[in-house]
Amino acid sequence: MPKSNMIDKLREMRKTHSSLLATNFYNYETLRGIMQAASHLGQPVILQLTKSSIDYMGLSVAVNLAKSSLEEYQVEGWLHLDHSGSYDLVHECLDAGFDSVMIDASEKSLGENIEITQRVVELAARYNANVEAELGYIAKLGQSKEKTGFTDPAEAKYFVEQTGINALAVAIGSAHGFYTQEPKLDMERLKEIQAATHIPLVLHGGSGIPGDSLKEAIKNGICKINLATEIKNIFMQTLKNSMVHNQDIDLRNVFPSAIEAVSLLVEKKLEIVKS
C-alpha cells in the first residue's frame, strides 16, 4: 500500500495535533493481532523492533514479516528500530529497509549523546529515513521508576539544533514496563519542550497511561506513542489462561485467542489516538 515518508508523516501529525501508534511485535502472532486491528479501523501504524526481537526472529525474517503483513492487510505503516544503542545496528537496519531508526544514547553524557546521534542523522539522510533520539531519563525495564530526570526544554532545544534529528523522545513522567501507580505526565513541561524544539515529540512507555492523558499529550506535541508492554502481557496472559484446562498441542488452535486479545487491545489504543 502506498505510504508517505515517515519524516513527512510525523510532521503532518505535529501540524494537525495528531499522533501515530507505534507497536512493538515479537513474533508472527503479535504482529497479526496488530495488523488485524489496524486493518479493521483503517488506521496507519508503526511497527517496531528492538535488538532483542531482531536477535530472536532474525533481521531478514522480521523485516519480511512486517513488510508482507502491511501489504497483505493493506495498512499504511512503517518499520522502526526501537532503542538501538549501536550505530552498527542502525546501519544494518537501514540497509534492510527500515523507514525509521532510534538511536538511544540518553544514558550517556549530553556531549556523547549529541556525537553519536549526529553520526546516525548523517547516515540516515542517505536513506531518507526518520531519526528519533531520546533526552532525559525514561526508566527502562528493571530500572528504578523513582529516579527522575525529566527532559529540560532549553537542553532539548540545544540537542535538536546540534543533531538535526526528526523526532525527540521526551521524559515527562512515563516509564517502560508496568506502573505501580497511575503515571502523572508533566503537561506544562511538554508544552515548553514543544515550543522550544518545533519537531515531533515521542512518548515512550505508553502502556498503562490513561486515555485522557494520552489525548492531552497529543494536543501538546506528542506525535508518536509507543506501546509494547501491554502487547506482551495480554498475549501471554491470554495464552496461559487458555492452556490451564486445555490439553491441545496444536498451536494453531491455541494461539488464536491470544492473537484476538492483542487485536482488541490495539484497537482500543488506536481509537484513543484517532480521537
Side-chain angles (χ1 to χ4, degrees):
M1 183 176 183
K3 66 181 180 184
S4 54
N5 176 275
M6 193 163 144
I7 297 172
D8 295 333
K9 188 68 174 182
L10 286 175
R11 285 174 179 163
E12 176 192 328
M13 295 292 103
R14 188 182 190 279
K15 189 175 181 181
T16 58
H17 298 283
S18 307
S19 184
L20 294 170
L21 185 67
T23 55
N24 286 49
F25 71 97
Y26 308 91
N27 55 9
Y28 168 72
E29 286 75 24
T30 49
L31 176 60
R32 183 173 171 184
I34 293 163
M35 297 311 302
Q36 285 178 179
S39 176
H40 182 240
L41 295 179
Q43 290 295 301
V45 69
I46 299 170
L47 300 174
Q48 299 196 145
L49 287 165
T50 58
K51 181 182 184 298
S52 54
S53 293
I54 290 170
D55 290 344
Y56 175 68
M57 288 183 275
L59 182 58
S60 62
V61 170
V63 170
N64 287 325
L65 268 175
K67 293 195 170 187
S68 61
S69 293
L70 289 169
E71 186 175 333
E72 178 185 350
Y73 283 91
Q74 291 293 287
V75 168
E76 183 183 21
W78 303 264
L79 185 57
H80 173 77
L81 173 62
D82 191 29
H83 284 292
S84 175
S86 160
Y87 176 91
D88 291 339
L89 178 60
V90 166
H91 204 165
E92 283 181 54
C93 289
L94 289 171
D95 279 343
F98 279 60
D99 303 289
S100 176
V101 293
M102 179 194 185
I103 182 68
D104 182 2
S106 60
E107 295 183 25
K108 298 182 182 295
S109 69
L110 178 62
E112 290 174 299
N113 194 350
I114 289 172
E115 183 181 1
I116 188 171
T117 303
Q118 284 174 333
R119 290 181 63 213
V120 168
V121 168
E122 183 180 344
L123 172 66
R126 296 185 229 158
Y127 300 82
N128 200 23
N130 179 73
V131 177
E132 176 184 330
E134 185 174 304
L135 193 63
Y137 177 79
I138 305 172
K140 296 179 174 65
L141 293 176
Q143 291 183 327
S144 171
K145 293 181 174 62
E146 303 303 317
K147 178 182 173 183
T148 58
F150 285 6
T151 305
D152 177 80
E155 196 171 81
K157 181 177 187 293
Y158 178 73
F159 184 79
V160 169
E161 289 172 347
Q162 291 298 308
T163 59
I165 55 170
N166 309 109
L168 177 67
V170 294
I172 57 169
S174 62
H176 299 91
F178 293 108
Y179 294 99
T180 54
Q181 57 188 15
E182 186 176 301
K184 302 293 184 185
L185 301 183
D186 189 338
M187 295 299 175
E188 289 306 313
R189 182 180 296 269
L190 177 58
K191 290 175 186 177
E192 291 175 14
I193 297 168
Q194 179 194 31
T197 58
H198 304 290
I199 66 168
L201 303 177
V202 180
L203 184 67
H204 284 238
S207 294
I209 295 178
D212 287 345
S213 293
L214 292 177
K215 290 176 185 178
E216 190 177 352
I218 292 168
K219 287 179 185 176
N220 290 297
I222 293 297
C223 303
K224 174 176 175 276
I225 295 173
N226 285 17
L227 181 70
T229 300
E230 280 188 273
I231 291 175
K232 282 189 291 190
N233 180 62
I234 202 163
F235 182 84
M236 289 305 298
Q237 293 304 322
T238 305
L239 198 57
K240 288 174 182 177
N241 291 339
S242 69
M243 293 178 70
V244 170
H245 304 294
N246 187 347
Q247 300 303 312
D248 195 340
I249 65 166
D250 191 334
L251 54 85
R252 294 165 297 184
N253 297 328
V254 174
F255 280 144
S257 62
I259 294 170
E260 183 62 19
V262 169
S263 184
L264 291 173
L265 167 70
V266 174
E267 277 200 31
K268 289 178 184 175
K269 300 294 183 179
L270 284 170
E271 290 281 10
I272 291 169
V273 169
K274 185 173 75 166
S275 65

